[in-house]
Amino acid sequence: MRRSIVFPGLLRVAILFLCLNTTIQALALTNSTRLESILNKYTNKDEEWWRAKPRGRRAISEGDMHLILDLHNKLRGQVYPPASNMEYMVWDYELERSAEHWAHTCRWEHGPSHMLTQIGQNLGAHWGRDRPPTYHVQAWYDEVRYYSYPYAQECNPHCPFRCSGPVCTHYTQLVWATSNRIGCAINVCYNMNVWGMIWAKAVYLVCNYSPPGNWWGHAPYKYGTPCSACPASYGGGCRDNLCYKHGGVDRRPAPEIEETNYIEPEPEPVRDGEPRPRAQAPSTSPSDNLERDMVLSTEQMCQQVDCETKLRDQCKGTTCNRYECPPGCLERPGKVVGTGYYDMQSSVCGAALHFGVLDNDGGWIDVTRLGRKQHFTKSYKNGIQSIGKNRSANSFKVESVPVKAVRCDTTVAVFCPFKKPVRHCPRLYCPRNCLRDSQARVIGTKYYSDKSSICRAAIHAGVIKNESGGYLDVMPVDKKRHYSGSYQNGITSESLPNPTGGKAFRVFAVI
């Protein structure tokens, strides 16, 4: 499953200061106090200060910086109808650093709120297959198909969070003629909440612009012959249809230690009196090659479905009972048959909306098959009109998926024991650094005894990483005749032949 998404660009409204960022400014000021104190250090500093300041790893590689900057200028120079006052864009290191601080918050929203009146901002995120940052830049520009110069018509400019219609405010910020400086940052965010869905490893792109654009009621640029209406400060200079000042405003990359987009998570601080973590190893290991023992599992219990996907009775296993619905299904819910219980030909997500388990933000649901029902009642609930049916058919019901945080030593036997009929276990969240808790047992490989620690079994199986923790799904199953031990991901699991009691479980990734 590959997924990418862009956040609607900032929209500004003159005089009334009602803009898209006012929604973000409603956040409690306490949430931005710490970030504000950090950013205050960088105000009133010239670019030479940045260049002279010792820098560690930058928030974006020099190569990606050039790709983003070049694509911005290329796209700005080819707008149609042509622009007479489109300015050449250059890199700004202060904007880069402000983007870096926001990218490290891993919050899928515009911010920080106190800066949104001073900058423009475009956001993008993806997970799955690696994508260059230009993927999001091009996606921002491609919103032009929803935009009619000089003002938005088909697209909806009032989209602070999620929109039912098309968005074009990324495009208008990208081609805002007077926004001539840009700075971007990339961060890898673990367990990032993107509109109610948890992305285990999201690549988060933040681009800040100055001066800000997207003033509602204004065109992003003036129409006319390229460079015919450039500000006087450009002295008549023109480059690739852009107002260009020769000598001095071209990009100047800052020194860079390491060229990479991958930002490692900060290590967990070791408090006084705490033992430092030690690598665990098998008692007898033929090799010290740790890579051989690294295991990564991306097998999921939850299935991502479309809004219109029907629940046909083709899948019998427990792994077919948890689904993730996308946002926006209220506008395309598909066919829904029944009330309370639903015909198998119904849309899974539409039934969940009708029953009130989900809202238009999407999310996770559990499905329980109920067997045949004699008739299905129509009703209008939560914005969805279901239809009735007087013929007998297989049915199902929908339930919400609770999320529970557990400790490193929590076991399935205590938390979610195997029962018949099989029950749905909550989605679990494991803390970081469960590798340290060597007293919590792990028994088995792939299939684990229910006396095992859930979180340590998940690390052993490669479902979560020790340094980040994260979400996982648990499926209790009947006991196994034999549990085989192994050494994986720094954990040695135990073998247990012929267990006398207890049940078993499997762990699944949440991606």
Side-chain angles (χ1 to χ4, degrees):
M1 181 69 179
R2 300 164 185 162
R3 185 172 299 177
S4 60
I5 196 164
V6 290
F7 195 102
L10 287 168
L11 172 71
R12 305 170 199 286
V13 180
I15 302 176
L16 295 178
F17 62 91
L18 285 172
C19 52
L20 187 143
N21 20 327
T22 57
T23 304
I24 310 303
Q25 288 168 342
L27 294 169
L29 293 177
T30 54
N31 291 340
S32 62
T33 301
R34 183 179 62 85
L35 193 57
E36 184 173 2
S37 65
I38 295 173
L39 295 176
N40 284 340
K41 295 188 298 184
Y42 308 117
T43 57
N44 301 319
K45 300 290 186 180
D46 58 25
E47 192 170 279
E48 291 303 317
W49 179 85
W50 273 112
R51 292 169 62 83
K53 183 179 181 293
R55 299 167 65 94
R57 180 181 298 172
R58 287 181 59 201
I60 191 168
S61 73
E62 182 179 345
D64 283 343
M65 180 194 79
H66 291 323
L67 287 172
I68 289 174
L69 188 58
D70 287 344
L71 184 55
H72 270 76
N73 282 320
K74 175 186 175 182
L75 297 173
R76 286 163 68 85
Q78 68 182 34
V79 293
Y80 185 84
S84 62
N85 67 330
M86 187 71 72
E87 299 182 36
Y88 184 85
M89 189 169 276
V90 298
W91 197 262
D92 186 291
Y93 301 113
E94 291 189 23
L95 289 175
E96 176 191 325
R97 297 306 269 182
S98 65
E100 176 186 13
H101 286 298
W102 189 247
H104 275 271
T105 68
C106 291
R107 289 161 59 179
W108 184 239
E109 58 191 53
H110 288 298
S113 58
H114 70 281
M115 289 190 65
L116 296 181
T117 57
Q118 307 165 40
I119 61 170
Q121 190 174 74
N122 277 346
L123 306 178
H126 71 270
W127 60 263
R129 179 169 60 88
D130 288 341
R131 300 179 186 274
T134 48
Y135 171 86
H136 293 293
V137 176
Q138 186 65 53
W140 296 338
Y141 183 85
D142 289 345
E143 291 174 359
V144 66
R145 64 183 179 272
Y146 303 123
Y147 181 80
S148 299
Y149 185 89
Y151 305 119
Q153 293 179 13
E154 290 81 7
C155 69
N156 182 358
H158 299 287
C159 291
F161 288 106
R162 193 177 319 199
C163 306
S164 58
V167 180
C168 61
T169 45
H170 296 98
Y171 166 77
T172 52
Q173 175 59 80
L174 193 154
V175 301
W176 202 268
T178 57
S179 294
N180 56 25
R181 306 187 78 81
I182 183 176
C184 304
I186 297 174
N187 185 37
V188 177
C189 295
Y190 294 90
N191 300 315
M192 185 174 176
N193 188 327
V194 180
W195 286 329
M197 292 174 285
I198 303 299
W199 290 10
K201 188 178 179 182
V203 180
Y204 190 20
L205 171 66
V206 177
C207 283
N208 288 345
Y209 301 83
S210 182
N214 274 355
W215 292 97
W216 178 236
H218 293 254
Y221 58 83
K222 296 178 182 177
Y223 162 67
T225 303
C227 299
S228 62
C230 293
S233 60
Y234 284 90
C238 186
R239 177 175 176 176
D240 299 327
N241 297 330
L242 304 174
C243 304
Y244 179 73
K245 184 185 297 182
H246 295 277
V249 301
D250 208 348
R251 66 191 180 202
R252 290 174 291 165
E256 182 170 20
I257 304 301
E258 182 177 347
E259 184 167 325
T260 175
N261 282 339
Y262 183 77
I263 308 299
E264 295 179 355
E266 294 184 4
E268 181 75 4
V270 179
R271 300 178 179 87
D272 292 337
E274 277 191 352
R276 293 181 179 271
R278 295 181 301 168
Q280 299 186 28
S283 56
T284 57
S285 175
S287 171
D288 291 331
N289 182 6
L290 295 180
E291 290 186 1
R292 188 196 62 181
D293 301 310
M294 296 299 293
V295 174
L296 175 65
S297 173
T298 57
E299 187 177 1
Q300 297 183 74
M301 190 171 83
C302 184
Q303 302 177 68
Q304 287 88 13
V305 294
D306 297 326
C307 294
E308 298 87 354
T309 300
K310 298 177 181 179
L311 186 72
R312 297 184 178 92
D313 200 11
Q314 298 175 343
C315 187
K316 302 290 186 179
T318 304
T319 56
C320 303
N321 291 338
R322 182 158 290 174
Y323 297 87
E324 181 179 346
C325 292
C329 289
L330 199 58
E331 287 73 38
R332 51 185 196 282
K335 182 174 71 171
V336 179
V337 182
T339 300
Y341 53 87
Y342 301 91
D343 180 88
M344 298 294 290
Q345 298 296 321
S346 297
S347 154
V348 181
C349 301
L353 287 167
H354 182 266
F355 195 63
V357 170
L358 294 183
D359 57 21
N360 204 34
D361 290 341
W364 307 308
I365 60 171
D366 278 337
V367 167
T368 302
R369 290 163 175 78
L370 300 176
R372 300 190 73 82
K373 298 289 183 181
Q374 296 304 311
H375 67 276
F376 299 84
T377 305
K378 69 176 182 180
S379 66
Y380 180 81
K381 297 178 66 176
N382 302 309
I384 302 293
Q385 177 65 59
S386 71
I387 60 178
K389 181 177 179 179
N390 289 322
R391 294 194 304 273
S392 173
N394 286 323
S395 64
F396 68 95
K397 68 176 182 178
V398 290
E399 300 170 285
S400 61
V401 177
V403 179
K404 302 290 186 181
V406 293
R407 304 189 323 178
C408 292
D409 60 354
T410 301
T411 66
V412 169
V414 172
F415 187 81
C416 185
F418 174 77
K419 295 180 180 179
K420 290 185 178 180
V422 177
R423 57 182 285 195
H424 300 300
C425 294
R427 175 155 289 175
L428 305 183
Y429 184 84
C430 288
R432 294 185 293 177
N433 295 323
C434 285
L435 194 64
R436 298 180 182 182
D437 195 347
S438 58
Q439 302 303 314
R441 302 173 66 188
V442 178
I443 305 169
T445 300
K446 187 175 180 179
Y447 287 89
Y448 298 94
S449 164
D450 64 359
K451 296 179 177 62
S452 301
S453 155
I454 299 172
C455 297
R456 283 172 55 80
I459 295 172
H460 181 268
V463 167
I464 62 173
K465 291 187 175 182
N466 174 63
E467 62 269 20
S468 57
Y471 292 88
L472 59 98
D473 283 324
V474 171
M475 184 178 73
V477 295
D478 212 343
K479 72 176 181 179
K480 298 298 176 182
R481 294 182 179 179
H482 178 84
Y483 298 96
S484 299
S486 63
Y487 177 68
Q488 295 179 172
N489 301 321
I491 293 179
T492 302
S493 67
E494 304 174 31
S495 295
L496 182 62
N498 302 316
T500 57
K503 302 296 183 179
F505 69 96
R506 293 187 63 191
V507 287
F508 293 88
V510 175
I511 301 176

